[in-house]
Amino acid sequence: MRKRRSLAMNLDAVAQRAGVSTSTVSRVLNNLEIVKSSTRSRVLKAAEELNYHPNLHARSLARGKSRILGIIVSNMENPFFFDIYRTLEADAHAQGLEVVVANTDYRSEQLLASVQLMIGLRVAGLAVIVSEMEQHLIQTVSGSRIPAAFYDVGTPQKNITNIRVDYRKGIKKTVSYLNALGHKRMAFVGHHSTLGPISERRKTFLESVHRCSPGAEPRIFAGPDGLDGGRQAARELLESGFRPTAILCVNDFMAVGVMRELREEGLQIPRDVSVTGFDNIKLAEFCSPSLTTVHIPREQIGHIIFDHVLGNSREEREVGREIVIDPELVVRDSTGVAAKN
Amino acid sequence: MRKRRSLAMNLDAVAQRAGVSTSTVSRVLNNLEIVKSSTRSRVLKAAEELNYHPNLHARSLARGKSRILGIIVSNMENPFFFDIYRTLEADAHAQGLEVVVANTDYRSEQLLASVQLMIGLRVAGLAVIVSEMEQHLIQTVSGSRIPAAFYDVGTPQKNITNIRVDYRKGIKKTVSYLNALGHKRMAFVGHHSTLGPISERRKTFLESVHRCSPGAEPRIFAGPDGLDGGRQAARELLESGFRPTAILCVNDFMAVGVMRELREEGLQIPRDVSVTGFDNIKLAEFCSPSLTTVHIPREQIGHIIFDHVLGNSREEREVGREIVIDPELVVRDSTGVAAKN
DNA sequence: TTGAAAGCGCTACCAG
DNA sequence: CTGGTAGCGCTTTCAA
């Protein structure tokens, strides 16, 4: 019986039309070696006429690896993640690599699926920028031998680089700053994933407040990451009857939501209550009032990650390194001296 | 000489370890047919122990198609695009499909690359949500026989569905509304891609203004899409000496940037100048003042696209359809009666 | 400078 | 219920 013949163009079709072998077509399409320029153009013409597009799966399979950078983030909607993604993408494209992104939505079940996908795709490198993470998955990635970088989570392993931001420092700076403005009653608004085991910001917040003003009783609130989540957390806060003079938010995105709710309730910022964020996303500068926050250099982080995962400048990839980034306080209009009452 | 043996696990390795054939392993891994439950668990165990991850490229190649939904957007940073992406992703995952996104950043060169990528990946379906587009590319996609949907651009073709929003209607509603508030001097702020041949919103704006108030001389400004772009366009507007009582923005994202610049210059919204957006992204509700805008049902659009590209309910895929969405005006706090001066 | 042919890892068809 | 095997489309030696 006849072999199944798909309609899809393939190398063979192009080769036939150009009157050459598939090897030659392959060489032309890869700008490889020295193909006689006349043959070359003949092949190109044939490919064009047939509207031919190389099958990337076949290509990756034959090559044994793909020219793809995998990126996994918790929440692309949050500009913080997007900014890192954007940098990584630019770096990748500059090297002729394609990019595949996956969104976990903070769900570890989805994170698992995403990791599987990336490994299944045999990506050339993997960047994992998520807040949720299990030791188990780190082992899986490490075992896959794919050069990878984790942001904010886990510890260095073979072929895995670790990037961390010194949150303690960032939070401490914020708390001292607020303390200097006379704030004693403070609240922290996090998102659910910061309430897990890796809640460095939250813990440091509690420690810092206790150290600065021993008598204070800091409170913690949380909602899902995002504008709505911030708003919701703020509502809970207000409904609880707690009346802080300052609210520290786990990130800028949520802070904008928090401010919205406060405004709604007739509270003025910073007159009645000060608000701070974290990340220093573009929006922090555009919201009203503009947001006091802690700057995290996302572009720099993106470049570092790319470099360690796929860059040319990585000799010690076998080792696995840890890189710590220092954040800085950026004072804007959402904070002021503590209201006295 | 010996064959090149890669370290990467493959079906064979699992099969050997489990003492079965690759066929059986394949069946197990695909939850296929009836494999004796004892064999099944033996295979699963072996795969687990070997830390085995199926090579998706090989899979797609063998199957002749991939279970991937391709999505191309102009600017993932703009929540408008993100919202559609999110819906598509959810629908895809619900069907067990993976998703690959590509960002064109409004560059047609990148759009070309993205289309090539998707075709090369032999995606099961393709959603193209971009503002930049060339007839040529539409033909390419159409020729690839991949079920596709274009948002906002092009015309229905074989195996291509077209989704459009009736911008004319949206802009008209906005202009009439502003006109009723007494606004005569209006400006339109677009982004660069809306200045191309497909600038429906801009054209309609001009027409509507001319119709409502024949004497007025509407002006057009533009910047790149985004917070900064909006701000920049607003700055140009102010520097030009033009003093509109209302500014219509091509989308909410830019409107937020515009409002920021106006505020900076001491102008109050809406007392001194009214501002409107388009899309009704979440942020429109959270910015200050909240933004009067035109609602585009992004979730609905996402579902429609998915349905037409990969849904079960598409019998007439060969035909190619056009679907038009009706937008609605949402009045909030950024608009008021025209300042008289 | 070009062609022939052996895989890459997996699926699916055909036997058993 | 399981095994054997022929491809999927492309890259990559090895020869010519």
Side-chain angles (χ1 to χ4, degrees):
Chain A
M1 84 209 58
R2 249 162 82 277
K3 258 185 270 176
R4 173 163 44 105
R5 206 62 302 252
S6 88
L7 336 163
M9 286 306 91
N10 57 14
L11 268 197
D12 233 33
V14 179
Q16 245 171 310
R17 187 173 239 270
V20 297
S21 73
T22 59
S23 324
T24 301
V25 178
S26 173
R27 291 188 185 106
V28 170
L29 263 35
N30 287 294
N31 295 315
L32 228 65
E33 311 184 33
I34 22 185
V35 179
K36 209 203 304 180
S37 121
S38 66
T39 343
R40 180 186 174 70
S41 49
R42 204 143 36 88
V43 170
L44 253 19
K45 180 152 158 290
E48 167 83 39
E49 289 170 351
L50 288 175
N51 192 20
Y52 170 76
H53 295 269
N55 183 321
L56 263 29
H57 297 297
R59 182 142 44 207
S60 303
L61 184 57
R63 285 199 180 132
K65 66 181 182 209
S66 63
R67 300 204 23 91
I68 299 180
L69 166 64
I71 306 178
I72 304 180
V73 298
S74 286
N75 180 13
M76 268 288 250
E77 185 179 20
N78 187 328
F80 171 79
F81 292 104
F82 178 81
D83 289 344
I84 295 183
Y85 156 72
R86 165 166 40 205
T87 304
L88 284 171
E89 183 184 55
D91 286 358
H93 283 169
Q95 303 255 11
L97 295 170
E98 285 303 336
V99 165
V100 170
V101 220
N103 219 234
T104 66
D105 204 22
Y106 291 110
R107 291 176 297 127
S108 57
E109 140 218 9
Q110 183 54 50
L111 174 59
L112 173 60
S114 301
V115 168
Q116 310 264 36
L117 173 65
M118 297 305 178
I119 297 182
L121 249 23
R122 301 294 189 264
V123 293
L126 179 61
V128 185
I129 327 286
V130 300
S131 303
E132 73 282 12
M133 180 51 78
E134 294 155 36
Q135 192 58 33
H136 166 251
L137 275 182
I138 302 188
Q139 297 306 345
T140 302
V141 174
S142 176
S144 77
R145 306 198 137 281
I146 294 175
F150 286 90
Y151 171 79
D152 217 31
V153 68
T155 52
Q157 311 256 334
K158 189 184 46 168
N159 78 276
I160 293 190
T161 294
N162 232 267
I163 321 270
R164 303 195 321 100
V165 163
D166 191 339
Y167 287 124
R168 305 183 57 81
K169 202 169 284 181
I171 291 288
K172 276 185 198 162
K173 283 181 181 171
T174 309
V175 171
S176 326
Y177 162 72
L178 289 171
N179 192 61
L181 289 175
H183 292 276
K184 299 292 175 199
R185 278 199 315 287
M186 306 191 215
F188 181 83
V189 166
H191 53 70
H192 293 311
S193 92
T194 49
L195 295 182
I198 26 164
S199 53
E200 195 174 354
R201 287 177 243 202
R202 187 172 108 265
K203 272 194 328 219
T204 309
F205 163 71
L206 292 174
E207 289 169 17
S208 299
V209 172
H210 284 138
R211 202 167 33 68
C212 287
S213 39
E217 51 165 303
R219 297 279 297 273
I220 306 286
F221 296 86
D225 186 23
L227 262 14
D228 273 329
R231 184 173 191 173
Q232 175 188 321
R235 192 173 312 135
E236 275 175 32
L237 183 157
L238 294 173
E239 282 172 357
S240 79
F242 188 52
R243 282 294 172 277
T245 62
I247 302 177
L248 286 79
C249 303
V250 69
N251 65 39
D252 296 345
F253 204 36
M254 293 195 72
V256 172
V258 167
M259 292 203 293
R260 174 75 171 91
E261 182 64 17
L262 296 178
R263 204 186 313 132
E264 191 85 343
E265 292 300 313
L267 292 166
Q268 288 203 20
I269 306 167
R271 201 198 61 187
D272 302 320
V273 48
S274 289
V275 175
T276 69
F278 216 102
D279 292 350
N280 193 27
I281 60 177
K282 191 55 112 179
L283 188 55
E285 198 182 322
F286 280 74
C287 60
S288 166
S290 63
L291 190 64
T292 291
T293 186
V294 176
H295 178 71
I296 299 187
R298 300 170 303 281
E299 229 174 277
Q300 185 193 347
I301 292 176
H303 289 312
I304 290 178
I305 292 180
F306 184 81
D307 238 52
H308 276 256
V309 165
L310 288 172
N312 308 310
S313 56
R314 65 186 235 293
E315 292 111 43
E316 53 212 325
R317 77 177 141 105
E318 287 302 334
V319 187
R321 284 186 49 183
E322 176 167 65
I323 292 169
V324 179
I325 306 266
D326 249 33
E328 238 167 281
L329 186 67
V330 178
V331 177
R332 295 212 181 84
D333 306 331
S334 66
T335 48
V337 296
K340 34 180 86 72
N341 74 340
Chain B
M1 83 209 56
R2 249 162 80 278
K3 260 184 269 176
R4 174 163 44 104
R5 204 66 298 255
S6 87
L7 337 163
M9 287 305 91
N10 57 15
L11 267 197
D12 233 33
V14 179
Q16 246 171 310
R17 186 173 240 269
V20 297
S21 72
T22 59
S23 322
T24 300
V25 178
S26 174
R27 289 190 188 104
V28 171
L29 264 35
N30 288 292
N31 295 314
L32 229 64
E33 311 183 32
I34 23 187
V35 179
K36 209 204 302 179
S37 120
S38 66
T39 342
R40 180 186 174 72
S41 49
R42 203 143 36 89
V43 170
L44 254 19
K45 180 153 157 289
E48 167 83 39
E49 289 169 351
L50 288 175
N51 193 20
Y52 170 76
H53 294 269
N55 184 321
L56 263 29
H57 298 296
R59 215 207 286 269
S60 302
L61 185 57
R63 284 198 180 134
K65 65 181 184 208
S66 63
R67 299 200 29 88
I68 298 181
L69 166 64
I71 306 178
I72 304 180
V73 298
S74 286
N75 181 14
M76 267 289 250
E77 185 179 20
N78 187 327
F80 171 78
F81 292 104
F82 178 81
D83 289 344
I84 294 183
Y85 156 73
R86 168 171 30 209
T87 304
L88 284 171
E89 183 184 55
D91 286 357
H93 283 169
Q95 303 256 9
L97 294 171
E98 285 305 335
V99 165
V100 170
V101 220
N103 219 234
T104 66
D105 204 23
Y106 291 110
R107 292 177 296 127
S108 58
E109 140 219 8
Q110 183 54 49
L111 174 59
L112 174 60
S114 301
V115 169
Q116 309 264 35
L117 173 65
M118 297 305 177
I119 297 181
L121 249 25
R122 300 294 189 265
V123 293
L126 179 60
V128 185
I129 326 286
V130 299
S131 303
E132 73 281 12
M133 178 52 76
E134 294 156 35
Q135 192 57 33
H136 166 250
L137 275 182
I138 302 188
Q139 296 307 344
T140 302
V141 173
S142 176
S144 77
R145 307 198 137 282
I146 294 175
F150 287 90
Y151 171 79
D152 218 29
V153 68
T155 50
Q157 311 257 332
K158 189 184 45 171
N159 77 276
I160 292 190
T161 294
N162 231 265
I163 322 270
R164 306 194 319 100
V165 163
D166 191 338
Y167 287 124
R168 306 182 57 81
K169 202 169 283 183
I171 291 287
K172 275 185 199 163
K173 283 181 182 171
T174 309
V175 172
S176 328
Y177 162 72
L178 290 171
N179 191 62
L181 289 174
H183 293 275
K184 299 293 174 197
R185 279 200 314 288
M186 307 191 212
F188 181 83
V189 166
H191 53 70
H192 292 311
S193 93
T194 48
L195 296 183
I198 26 164
S199 53
E200 196 175 354
R201 286 178 244 203
R202 186 171 110 267
K203 272 194 328 218
T204 309
F205 163 71
L206 292 174
E207 289 170 16
S208 299
V209 172
H210 283 138
R211 201 166 33 69
C212 286
S213 39
E217 50 167 303
R219 298 278 298 273
I220 307 285
F221 296 86
D225 185 24
L227 262 14
D228 273 328
R231 184 172 190 172
Q232 175 187 319
R235 193 174 310 134
E236 275 175 33
L237 182 156
L238 293 173
E239 282 170 356
S240 78
F242 187 52
R243 282 295 171 278
T245 61
I247 302 177
L248 285 80
C249 303
V250 69
N251 65 39
D252 296 344
F253 204 36
M254 294 195 72
V256 172
V258 167
M259 293 202 292
R260 174 75 171 92
E261 181 64 16
L262 297 178
R263 206 187 310 132
E264 191 86 342
E265 291 300 313
L267 292 167
Q268 288 202 22
I269 306 167
R271 201 198 60 186
D272 301 320
V273 48
S274 290
V275 176
T276 69
F278 215 102
D279 291 350
N280 193 27
I281 60 176
K282 193 53 117 179
L283 187 55
E285 199 182 322
F286 280 75
C287 61
S288 165
S290 62
L291 190 64
T292 291
T293 187
V294 176
H295 179 72
I296 299 187
R298 301 171 302 283
E299 228 175 277
Q300 185 193 347
I301 291 176
H303 289 312
I304 291 178
I305 292 180
F306 185 81
D307 238 52
H308 277 255
V309 165
L310 288 171
N312 309 311
S313 57
R314 65 187 235 293
E315 293 111 43
E316 52 212 324
R317 76 177 141 106
E318 287 302 334
V319 188
R321 282 187 50 183
E322 176 168 65
I323 292 169
V324 179
I325 307 266
D326 249 32
E328 239 167 281
L329 186 67
V330 178
V331 177
R332 296 211 181 84
D333 306 331
S334 65
T335 47
V337 295
K340 33 182 85 74
N341 73 339

